[in-house]
Amino acid sequence: MNLILLGPPGAGKGTQAKRLEDKFSIAQLSTGDMLRAEVSSGSELGVTAKKLMEAGELVPDSLVIGIISGRIDDEDCKNGFILDGFPRTEAQAEALDEMLSSKELKLNKVVQLVVDEEALVERVTGRYTCAKCGNGYHDKFQQPSKEGVCDNCGSEEFKRRADDNEETVRTRLRAYHEQTAPIIPYYEAKGLMERVDGMADIEDVTKQLERILEAA
Ligand code: AMP
């Protein structure tokens, strides 16, 4: 089962991909997470990506295509994968098609998380994660049950993404409309598109996605 989750920043792609990963034993492939790992490691690729990411701009197609192509061959992708944050441009969508056909793989579904964009800015600017286990929280919508302590692992260290500030979120939304939304008709023409209400409760969104995956 190979799936793309599409949607603007803050639509819930990462949260939902993590939930589906466990249930269907498929790997979440987040280009954002991979790029953040490159930035932390200080690699050449990371240095190139850092400035663009902090500004909310997309990094060059060739860089993300390269990291995804290598990753799809890993053992944990053998049951399938959920692409989270890739493809984000028409060139990436075309490169993905070529990559999959050369590996004799196919895309089963493309699911768009449909959200109210004004709500996104509040969602994104308030979110943070446990620095140890990555569990997600939000200043307003999802605080740990004991203040300052991760519900999942007990760590007291949390982190926020450098690009989760209002100005950058607005730039990221613009990038989504200008560069990513145009790939929707590409997948519609292939008969692969499904839509899910991304404003529903996290649990309800997961259920909608599970139904789509089970029927695919
Ligand atoms: P994300 O974690 O998906 O919100 O991505 C964070 C940032 O990483 C984006 O704003 C871009 O700068 C960069 N990025 C992630 N995925 C891609 C991609 N497929 N193409 C270009 N840039 C990307």
PDB file of all heavy atoms in Angstrom, residues 96-127:
ATOM      1  N   LEU A  96       8.388  11.180  -9.096  1.00  0.00           N
ATOM      2  CA  LEU A  96       7.895  10.058  -8.288  1.00  0.00           C
ATOM      3  C   LEU A  96       7.344   8.957  -9.196  1.00  0.00           C
ATOM      4  O   LEU A  96       7.634   7.772  -8.977  1.00  0.00           O
ATOM      5  CB  LEU A  96       6.805  10.547  -7.316  1.00  0.00           C
ATOM      6  CG  LEU A  96       6.139   9.444  -6.491  1.00  0.00           C
ATOM      7  CD1 LEU A  96       7.142   8.793  -5.517  1.00  0.00           C
ATOM      8  CD2 LEU A  96       4.949   9.996  -5.701  1.00  0.00           C
ATOM      9  N   ASP A  97       6.583   9.339 -10.205  1.00  0.00           N
ATOM     10  CA  ASP A  97       6.054   8.341 -11.146  1.00  0.00           C
ATOM     11  C   ASP A  97       7.169   7.522 -11.788  1.00  0.00           C
ATOM     12  O   ASP A  97       7.093   6.303 -11.862  1.00  0.00           O
ATOM     13  CB  ASP A  97       5.267   9.040 -12.267  1.00  0.00           C
ATOM     14  CG  ASP A  97       3.825   9.265 -11.866  1.00  0.00           C
ATOM     15  OD1 ASP A  97       3.423   8.726 -10.817  1.00  0.00           O
ATOM     16  OD2 ASP A  97       3.110   9.963 -12.608  1.00  0.00           O
ATOM     17  N   GLU A  98       8.194   8.232 -12.212  1.00  0.00           N
ATOM     18  CA  GLU A  98       9.329   7.533 -12.852  1.00  0.00           C
ATOM     19  C   GLU A  98      10.026   6.605 -11.871  1.00  0.00           C
ATOM     20  O   GLU A  98      10.360   5.466 -12.192  1.00  0.00           O
ATOM     21  CB  GLU A  98      10.358   8.545 -13.361  1.00  0.00           C
ATOM     22  CG  GLU A  98       9.977   9.126 -14.709  1.00  0.00           C
ATOM     23  CD  GLU A  98      10.857  10.316 -15.073  1.00  0.00           C
ATOM     24  OE1 GLU A  98      12.041  10.332 -14.692  1.00  0.00           O
ATOM     25  OE2 GLU A  98      10.329  11.243 -15.718  1.00  0.00           O
ATOM     26  N   MET A  99      10.220   7.135 -10.652  1.00  0.00           N
ATOM     27  CA  MET A  99      10.893   6.361  -9.608  1.00  0.00           C
ATOM     28  C   MET A  99      10.111   5.078  -9.308  1.00  0.00           C
ATOM     29  O   MET A  99      10.660   3.990  -9.239  1.00  0.00           O
ATOM     30  CB  MET A  99      10.862   7.253  -8.354  1.00  0.00           C
ATOM     31  CG  MET A  99      11.895   7.043  -7.327  1.00  0.00           C
ATOM     32  SD  MET A  99      11.495   8.152  -5.928  1.00  0.00           S
ATOM     33  CE  MET A  99      11.734   9.778  -6.557  1.00  0.00           C
ATOM     34  N   LEU A 100       8.783   5.224  -9.176  1.00  0.00           N
ATOM     35  CA  LEU A 100       7.965   4.054  -8.837  1.00  0.00           C
ATOM     36  C   LEU A 100       7.955   3.054  -9.978  1.00  0.00           C
ATOM     37  O   LEU A 100       8.095   1.850  -9.758  1.00  0.00           O
ATOM     38  CB  LEU A 100       6.530   4.482  -8.477  1.00  0.00           C
ATOM     39  CG  LEU A 100       6.402   5.316  -7.197  1.00  0.00           C
ATOM     40  CD1 LEU A 100       4.947   5.689  -6.944  1.00  0.00           C
ATOM     41  CD2 LEU A 100       6.952   4.572  -5.989  1.00  0.00           C
ATOM     42  N   SER A 101       7.827   3.547 -11.222  1.00  0.00           N
ATOM     43  CA  SER A 101       7.768   2.558 -12.301  1.00  0.00           C
ATOM     44  C   SER A 101       9.120   1.855 -12.472  1.00  0.00           C
ATOM     45  O   SER A 101       9.152   0.659 -12.741  1.00  0.00           O
ATOM     46  CB  SER A 101       7.213   3.144 -13.599  1.00  0.00           C
ATOM     47  OG  SER A 101       8.119   4.032 -14.133  1.00  0.00           O
ATOM     48  N   SER A 102      10.224   2.557 -12.216  1.00  0.00           N
ATOM     49  CA  SER A 102      11.526   1.885 -12.334  1.00  0.00           C
ATOM     50  C   SER A 102      11.715   0.845 -11.236  1.00  0.00           C
ATOM     51  O   SER A 102      12.481  -0.098 -11.378  1.00  0.00           O
ATOM     52  CB  SER A 102      12.672   2.893 -12.326  1.00  0.00           C
ATOM     53  OG  SER A 102      12.858   3.370 -11.021  1.00  0.00           O
ATOM     54  N   LYS A 103      11.011   0.996 -10.122  1.00  0.00           N
ATOM     55  CA  LYS A 103      11.115   0.024  -9.019  1.00  0.00           C
ATOM     56  C   LYS A 103       9.946  -0.969  -9.069  1.00  0.00           C
ATOM     57  O   LYS A 103       9.728  -1.738  -8.136  1.00  0.00           O
ATOM     58  CB  LYS A 103      11.099   0.762  -7.671  1.00  0.00           C
ATOM     59  CG  LYS A 103      12.297   1.680  -7.431  1.00  0.00           C
ATOM     60  CD  LYS A 103      12.150   2.454  -6.115  1.00  0.00           C
ATOM     61  CE  LYS A 103      13.014   3.701  -6.010  1.00  0.00           C
ATOM     62  NZ  LYS A 103      14.436   3.471  -5.877  1.00  0.00           N
ATOM     63  N   GLU A 104       9.147  -0.888 -10.125  1.00  0.00           N
ATOM     64  CA  GLU A 104       7.952  -1.725 -10.292  1.00  0.00           C
ATOM     65  C   GLU A 104       6.996  -1.625  -9.112  1.00  0.00           C
ATOM     66  O   GLU A 104       6.465  -2.605  -8.599  1.00  0.00           O
ATOM     67  CB  GLU A 104       8.336  -3.183 -10.576  1.00  0.00           C
ATOM     68  CG  GLU A 104       9.017  -3.286 -11.928  1.00  0.00           C
ATOM     69  CD  GLU A 104       9.377  -4.705 -12.318  1.00  0.00           C
ATOM     70  OE1 GLU A 104       8.990  -5.641 -11.614  1.00  0.00           O
ATOM     71  OE2 GLU A 104      10.043  -4.841 -13.355  1.00  0.00           O
ATOM     72  N   LEU A 105       6.799  -0.367  -8.677  1.00  0.00           N
ATOM     73  CA  LEU A 105       5.854  -0.098  -7.591  1.00  0.00           C
ATOM     74  C   LEU A 105       4.738   0.769  -8.146  1.00  0.00           C
ATOM     75  O   LEU A 105       4.905   1.411  -9.185  1.00  0.00           O
ATOM     76  CB  LEU A 105       6.556   0.661  -6.463  1.00  0.00           C
ATOM     77  CG  LEU A 105       7.667  -0.079  -5.713  1.00  0.00           C
ATOM     78  CD1 LEU A 105       8.391   0.874  -4.782  1.00  0.00           C
ATOM     79  CD2 LEU A 105       7.079  -1.262  -4.936  1.00  0.00           C
ATOM     80  N   LYS A 106       3.598   0.806  -7.426  1.00  0.00           N
ATOM     81  CA  LYS A 106       2.557   1.739  -7.877  1.00  0.00           C
ATOM     82  C   LYS A 106       1.948   2.481  -6.700  1.00  0.00           C
ATOM     83  O   LYS A 106       2.061   2.049  -5.548  1.00  0.00           O
ATOM     84  CB  LYS A 106       1.506   1.021  -8.707  1.00  0.00           C
ATOM     85  CG  LYS A 106       0.608   0.132  -7.925  1.00  0.00           C
ATOM     86  CD  LYS A 106      -0.535  -0.368  -8.797  1.00  0.00           C
ATOM     87  CE  LYS A 106      -1.511  -1.098  -7.890  1.00  0.00           C
ATOM     88  NZ  LYS A 106      -2.852  -0.867  -7.984  1.00  0.00           N
ATOM     89  N   LEU A 107       1.317   3.582  -7.057  1.00  0.00           N
ATOM     90  CA  LEU A 107       0.665   4.414  -6.072  1.00  0.00           C
ATOM     91  C   LEU A 107      -0.775   3.921  -5.945  1.00  0.00           C
ATOM     92  O   LEU A 107      -1.461   3.756  -6.950  1.00  0.00           O
ATOM     93  CB  LEU A 107       0.685   5.836  -6.638  1.00  0.00           C
ATOM     94  CG  LEU A 107       0.651   7.015  -5.709  1.00  0.00           C
ATOM     95  CD1 LEU A 107       1.688   6.901  -4.604  1.00  0.00           C
ATOM     96  CD2 LEU A 107       0.894   8.275  -6.540  1.00  0.00           C
ATOM     97  N   ASN A 108      -1.235   3.665  -4.699  1.00  0.00           N
ATOM     98  CA  ASN A 108      -2.603   3.167  -4.555  1.00  0.00           C
ATOM     99  C   ASN A 108      -3.615   4.302  -4.389  1.00  0.00           C
ATOM    100  O   ASN A 108      -4.708   4.239  -4.941  1.00  0.00           O
ATOM    101  CB  ASN A 108      -2.704   2.231  -3.351  1.00  0.00           C
ATOM    102  CG  ASN A 108      -1.787   1.049  -3.493  1.00  0.00           C
ATOM    103  OD1 ASN A 108      -0.628   1.110  -3.091  1.00  0.00           O
ATOM    104  ND2 ASN A 108      -2.264  -0.017  -4.115  1.00  0.00           N
ATOM    105  N   LYS A 109      -3.244   5.320  -3.598  1.00  0.00           N
ATOM    106  CA  LYS A 109      -4.179   6.427  -3.357  1.00  0.00           C
ATOM    107  C   LYS A 109      -3.417   7.718  -3.072  1.00  0.00           C
ATOM    108  O   LYS A 109      -2.290   7.700  -2.574  1.00  0.00           O
ATOM    109  CB  LYS A 109      -5.035   6.142  -2.102  1.00  0.00           C
ATOM    110  CG  LYS A 109      -6.139   5.141  -2.309  1.00  0.00           C
ATOM    111  CD  LYS A 109      -7.305   5.754  -3.054  1.00  0.00           C
ATOM    112  CE  LYS A 109      -8.322   4.689  -3.448  1.00  0.00           C
ATOM    113  NZ  LYS A 109      -9.052   5.059  -4.634  1.00  0.00           N
ATOM    114  N   VAL A 110      -4.098   8.839  -3.364  1.00  0.00           N
ATOM    115  CA  VAL A 110      -3.605  10.159  -2.955  1.00  0.00           C
ATOM    116  C   VAL A 110      -4.744  10.771  -2.146  1.00  0.00           C
ATOM    117  O   VAL A 110      -5.857  10.903  -2.657  1.00  0.00           O
ATOM    118  CB  VAL A 110      -3.299  11.046  -4.173  1.00  0.00           C
ATOM    119  CG1 VAL A 110      -2.787  12.414  -3.728  1.00  0.00           C
ATOM    120  CG2 VAL A 110      -2.269  10.367  -5.079  1.00  0.00           C
ATOM    121  N   VAL A 111      -4.482  11.082  -0.881  1.00  0.00           N
ATOM    122  CA  VAL A 111      -5.554  11.610  -0.047  1.00  0.00           C
ATOM    123  C   VAL A 111      -5.251  13.051   0.337  1.00  0.00           C
ATOM    124  O   VAL A 111      -4.194  13.355   0.888  1.00  0.00           O
ATOM    125  CB  VAL A 111      -5.754  10.774   1.238  1.00  0.00           C
ATOM    126  CG1 VAL A 111      -6.965  11.300   2.006  1.00  0.00           C
ATOM    127  CG2 VAL A 111      -5.926   9.310   0.909  1.00  0.00           C
ATOM    128  N   GLN A 112      -6.207  13.920   0.036  1.00  0.00           N
ATOM    129  CA  GLN A 112      -6.071  15.333   0.387  1.00  0.00           C
ATOM    130  C   GLN A 112      -6.802  15.596   1.700  1.00  0.00           C
ATOM    131  O   GLN A 112      -7.990  15.252   1.843  1.00  0.00           O
ATOM    132  CB  GLN A 112      -6.687  16.189  -0.727  1.00  0.00           C
ATOM    133  CG  GLN A 112      -6.547  17.681  -0.459  1.00  0.00           C
ATOM    134  CD  GLN A 112      -7.362  18.526  -1.452  1.00  0.00           C
ATOM    135  OE1 GLN A 112      -8.069  17.991  -2.306  1.00  0.00           O
ATOM    136  NE2 GLN A 112      -7.274  19.826  -1.310  1.00  0.00           N
ATOM    137  N   LEU A 113      -6.097  16.188   2.669  1.00  0.00           N
ATOM    138  CA  LEU A 113      -6.744  16.591   3.923  1.00  0.00           C
ATOM    139  C   LEU A 113      -7.267  18.003   3.701  1.00  0.00           C
ATOM    140  O   LEU A 113      -6.482  18.938   3.511  1.00  0.00           O
ATOM    141  CB  LEU A 113      -5.746  16.562   5.079  1.00  0.00           C
ATOM    142  CG  LEU A 113      -5.201  15.184   5.457  1.00  0.00           C
ATOM    143  CD1 LEU A 113      -4.116  15.299   6.523  1.00  0.00           C
ATOM    144  CD2 LEU A 113      -6.332  14.291   5.973  1.00  0.00           C
ATOM    145  N   VAL A 114      -8.581  18.149   3.689  1.00  0.00           N
ATOM    146  CA  VAL A 114      -9.192  19.443   3.386  1.00  0.00           C
ATOM    147  C   VAL A 114      -9.412  20.203   4.696  1.00  0.00           C
ATOM    148  O   VAL A 114     -10.020  19.681   5.626  1.00  0.00           O
ATOM    149  CB  VAL A 114     -10.535  19.247   2.648  1.00  0.00           C
ATOM    150  CG1 VAL A 114     -11.177  20.587   2.315  1.00  0.00           C
ATOM    151  CG2 VAL A 114     -10.317  18.433   1.380  1.00  0.00           C
ATOM    152  N   VAL A 115      -8.838  21.417   4.762  1.00  0.00           N
ATOM    153  CA  VAL A 115      -8.880  22.175   6.020  1.00  0.00           C
ATOM    154  C   VAL A 115      -9.236  23.644   5.795  1.00  0.00           C
ATOM    155  O   VAL A 115      -9.081  24.175   4.700  1.00  0.00           O
ATOM    156  CB  VAL A 115      -7.503  22.122   6.732  1.00  0.00           C
ATOM    157  CG1 VAL A 115      -7.274  20.800   7.403  1.00  0.00           C
ATOM    158  CG2 VAL A 115      -6.379  22.447   5.775  1.00  0.00           C
ATOM    159  N   ASP A 116      -9.674  24.264   6.886  1.00  0.00           N
ATOM    160  CA  ASP A 116      -9.969  25.689   6.872  1.00  0.00           C
ATOM    161  C   ASP A 116      -8.649  26.416   7.155  1.00  0.00           C
ATOM    162  O   ASP A 116      -8.053  26.261   8.212  1.00  0.00           O
ATOM    163  CB  ASP A 116     -11.009  25.953   7.967  1.00  0.00           C
ATOM    164  CG  ASP A 116     -11.064  27.404   8.389  1.00  0.00           C
ATOM    165  OD1 ASP A 116     -10.440  28.254   7.712  1.00  0.00           O
ATOM    166  OD2 ASP A 116     -11.719  27.690   9.404  1.00  0.00           O
ATOM    167  N   GLU A 117      -8.191  27.207   6.197  1.00  0.00           N
ATOM    168  CA  GLU A 117      -6.833  27.752   6.300  1.00  0.00           C
ATOM    169  C   GLU A 117      -6.635  28.757   7.412  1.00  0.00           C
ATOM    170  O   GLU A 117      -5.537  28.899   7.921  1.00  0.00           O
ATOM    171  CB  GLU A 117      -6.408  28.317   4.947  1.00  0.00           C
ATOM    172  CG  GLU A 117      -6.378  27.196   3.967  1.00  0.00           C
ATOM    173  CD  GLU A 117      -5.422  27.386   2.845  1.00  0.00           C
ATOM    174  OE1 GLU A 117      -4.755  28.423   2.776  1.00  0.00           O
ATOM    175  OE2 GLU A 117      -5.361  26.462   2.019  1.00  0.00           O
ATOM    176  N   GLU A 118      -7.692  29.454   7.815  1.00  0.00           N
ATOM    177  CA  GLU A 118      -7.491  30.403   8.916  1.00  0.00           C
ATOM    178  C   GLU A 118      -7.167  29.649  10.200  1.00  0.00           C
ATOM    179  O   GLU A 118      -6.366  30.085  11.019  1.00  0.00           O
ATOM    180  CB  GLU A 118      -8.694  31.343   9.076  1.00  0.00           C
ATOM    181  CG  GLU A 118      -8.544  32.621   8.253  1.00  0.00           C
ATOM    182  CD  GLU A 118      -7.117  33.223   8.297  1.00  0.00           C
ATOM    183  OE1 GLU A 118      -6.645  33.576   9.399  1.00  0.00           O
ATOM    184  OE2 GLU A 118      -6.463  33.351   7.238  1.00  0.00           O
ATOM    185  N   ALA A 119      -7.774  28.479  10.351  1.00  0.00           N
ATOM    186  CA  ALA A 119      -7.513  27.678  11.555  1.00  0.00           C
ATOM    187  C   ALA A 119      -6.084  27.134  11.562  1.00  0.00           C
ATOM    188  O   ALA A 119      -5.521  26.846  12.617  1.00  0.00           O
ATOM    189  CB  ALA A 119      -8.512  26.530  11.632  1.00  0.00           C
ATOM    190  N   LEU A 120      -5.489  27.030  10.373  1.00  0.00           N
ATOM    191  CA  LEU A 120      -4.161  26.424  10.285  1.00  0.00           C
ATOM    192  C   LEU A 120      -3.084  27.232  10.987  1.00  0.00           C
ATOM    193  O   LEU A 120      -2.186  26.674  11.591  1.00  0.00           O
ATOM    194  CB  LEU A 120      -3.734  26.276   8.824  1.00  0.00           C
ATOM    195  CG  LEU A 120      -4.469  25.241   8.018  1.00  0.00           C
ATOM    196  CD1 LEU A 120      -3.858  25.145   6.641  1.00  0.00           C
ATOM    197  CD2 LEU A 120      -4.426  23.904   8.717  1.00  0.00           C
ATOM    198  N   VAL A 121      -3.184  28.555  10.864  1.00  0.00           N
ATOM    199  CA  VAL A 121      -2.132  29.391  11.449  1.00  0.00           C
ATOM    200  C   VAL A 121      -2.099  29.149  12.961  1.00  0.00           C
ATOM    201  O   VAL A 121      -1.031  28.941  13.549  1.00  0.00           O
ATOM    202  CB  VAL A 121      -2.350  30.883  11.104  1.00  0.00           C
ATOM    203  CG1 VAL A 121      -1.294  31.753  11.764  1.00  0.00           C
ATOM    204  CG2 VAL A 121      -2.322  31.075   9.590  1.00  0.00           C
ATOM    205  N   GLU A 122      -3.270  29.094  13.583  1.00  0.00           N
ATOM    206  CA  GLU A 122      -3.329  28.842  15.027  1.00  0.00           C
ATOM    207  C   GLU A 122      -2.823  27.429  15.364  1.00  0.00           C
ATOM    208  O   GLU A 122      -2.103  27.219  16.324  1.00  0.00           O
ATOM    209  CB  GLU A 122      -4.767  29.023  15.513  1.00  0.00           C
ATOM    210  CG  GLU A 122      -4.868  29.011  17.029  1.00  0.00           C
ATOM    211  CD  GLU A 122      -6.283  29.209  17.537  1.00  0.00           C
ATOM    212  OE1 GLU A 122      -7.235  28.892  16.795  1.00  0.00           O
ATOM    213  OE2 GLU A 122      -6.423  29.663  18.686  1.00  0.00           O
ATOM    214  N   ARG A 123      -3.192  26.479  14.520  1.00  0.00           N
ATOM    215  CA  ARG A 123      -2.742  25.092  14.753  1.00  0.00           C
ATOM    216  C   ARG A 123      -1.225  25.005  14.716  1.00  0.00           C
ATOM    217  O   ARG A 123      -0.608  24.397  15.571  1.00  0.00           O
ATOM    218  CB  ARG A 123      -3.248  24.188  13.609  1.00  0.00           C
ATOM    219  CG  ARG A 123      -4.537  23.486  13.878  1.00  0.00           C
ATOM    220  CD  ARG A 123      -4.607  22.302  12.912  1.00  0.00           C
ATOM    221  NE  ARG A 123      -5.937  21.793  12.777  1.00  0.00           N
ATOM    222  CZ  ARG A 123      -6.246  20.737  12.025  1.00  0.00           C
ATOM    223  NH1 ARG A 123      -5.332  20.122  11.334  1.00  0.00           N
ATOM    224  NH2 ARG A 123      -7.478  20.306  11.957  1.00  0.00           N
ATOM    225  N   VAL A 124      -0.645  25.625  13.682  1.00  0.00           N
ATOM    226  CA  VAL A 124       0.798  25.463  13.470  1.00  0.00           C
ATOM    227  C   VAL A 124       1.616  26.266  14.483  1.00  0.00           C
ATOM    228  O   VAL A 124       2.604  25.762  15.025  1.00  0.00           O
ATOM    229  CB  VAL A 124       1.188  25.857  12.021  1.00  0.00           C
ATOM    230  CG1 VAL A 124       2.691  25.820  11.838  1.00  0.00           C
ATOM    231  CG2 VAL A 124       0.513  24.934  11.029  1.00  0.00           C
ATOM    232  N   THR A 125       1.190  27.509  14.773  1.00  0.00           N
ATOM    233  CA  THR A 125       2.025  28.341  15.657  1.00  0.00           C
ATOM    234  C   THR A 125       1.976  27.832  17.107  1.00  0.00           C
ATOM    235  O   THR A 125       2.891  28.123  17.871  1.00  0.00           O
ATOM    236  CB  THR A 125       1.620  29.834  15.602  1.00  0.00           C
ATOM    237  OG1 THR A 125       0.224  29.943  15.866  1.00  0.00           O
ATOM    238  CG2 THR A 125       1.921  30.441  14.245  1.00  0.00           C
ATOM    239  N   GLY A 126       0.956  27.059  17.461  1.00  0.00           N
ATOM    240  CA  GLY A 126       0.871  26.568  18.848  1.00  0.00           C
ATOM    241  C   GLY A 126       1.439  25.178  19.043  1.00  0.00           C
ATOM    242  O   GLY A 126       1.459  24.656  20.147  1.00  0.00           O
ATOM    243  N   ARG A 127       1.936  24.540  17.992  1.00  0.00           N
ATOM    244  CA  ARG A 127       2.318  23.132  18.174  1.00  0.00           C
ATOM    245  C   ARG A 127       3.759  22.965  18.649  1.00  0.00           C
ATOM    246  O   ARG A 127       4.617  23.793  18.378  1.00  0.00           O
ATOM    247  CB  ARG A 127       2.062  22.329  16.892  1.00  0.00           C
ATOM    248  CG  ARG A 127       2.973  22.677  15.749  1.00  0.00           C
ATOM    249  CD  ARG A 127       2.562  21.926  14.491  1.00  0.00           C
ATOM    250  NE  ARG A 127       3.442  22.244  13.390  1.00  0.00           N
ATOM    251  CZ  ARG A 127       3.319  21.761  12.163  1.00  0.00           C
ATOM    252  NH1 ARG A 127       2.326  20.939  11.880  1.00  0.00           N
ATOM    253  NH2 ARG A 127       4.168  22.099  11.214  1.00  0.00           N
TER     254      ARG A 127
END
